[in-house]
Amino acid sequence: MSTFTKPSHIGRKISRIRELRDMKQEALAQALGTSQQTISALENSEEIDDEKLGQIAKALGVNVEALKNFSEEAAINYFNNFYDNSGSGQGAFGPVFNFNPLDKLLESYEENKKLYERLVQAEKDKVEYLEKILKNK
């Protein structure tokens, strides 16, 4: 039996915490003043220097120790064993959700619809521009 332990992959921890906070790579990139590609590279890194880790932790709303020590199993265990002991109210017999999943779905739909409309308009503008160039020749 080997006592070798797999090294902690800090990038995966960052990715998972970001996902649990319902944050996209673009949002984290904006908070850090960098690009989405840089965030992607960070999330694929096994090690990140402490200064950068501090900035990331702050942007994610956690402390550096929580980021370094994050474990999927511990998070699942915490939420599976979290009870509202007030004896009344919605949370007494199950979890309390602070959002409606349908609202999130509709919000996502609206964002995608706006993006699609902007892309269609950009294509229309390109066609109009190209038609003008062809008429002037």
Side-chain angles (χ1 to χ4, degrees):
M1 183 183 278
S2 173
T3 58
F4 176 74
T5 57
K6 189 168 72 170
S8 177
H9 194 292
I10 194 69
R12 283 194 205 110
K13 292 178 180 185
I14 292 168
S15 174
R16 193 63 187 122
I17 291 172
R18 178 184 55 74
E19 290 167 354
L20 289 169
R21 310 239 345 130
D22 198 25
M23 181 185 275
K24 295 189 183 303
Q25 283 185 339
E26 292 84 1
L28 182 56
Q30 187 175 13
L32 294 173
T34 189
S35 69
Q36 179 271 326
Q37 291 83 359
T38 301
I39 299 303
S40 180
L42 284 170
E43 290 182 355
N44 287 313
S45 301
E46 286 191 32
E47 295 180 3
I48 297 174
D49 66 80
D50 287 340
E51 182 181 338
K52 190 65 162 176
L53 209 53
Q55 296 169 356
I56 294 167
K58 184 176 180 182
L60 289 172
V62 298
N63 64 39
V64 175
E65 289 307 309
L67 192 54
K68 286 181 177 180
N69 297 323
F70 175 79
S71 120
E72 188 86 24
E73 295 80 21
I76 290 169
N77 190 40
Y78 172 80
F79 286 109
N80 283 343
N81 293 307
F82 183 79
Y83 299 101
D84 179 3
N85 293 323
S86 66
S88 63
Q90 182 182 6
F93 301 105
V96 176
F97 296 103
N98 294 325
F99 67 91
N100 181 340
L102 290 177
D103 289 343
K104 286 285 187 188
L105 181 63
L106 288 174
E107 184 180 298
S108 175
Y109 170 77
E110 288 298 322
E111 289 173 10
N112 288 335
K113 181 180 173 189
K114 289 176 185 175
L115 175 62
Y116 177 74
E117 288 170 351
R118 287 197 313 262
L119 289 171
V120 169
Q121 186 58 48
E123 290 301 314
K124 286 179 181 177
D125 292 345
K126 284 184 202 174
V127 169
E128 185 179 311
Y129 176 72
L130 291 171
E131 286 174 345
K132 282 182 185 177
I133 290 175
L134 288 174
K135 285 181 185 176
N136 290 336
K137 283 190 172 189

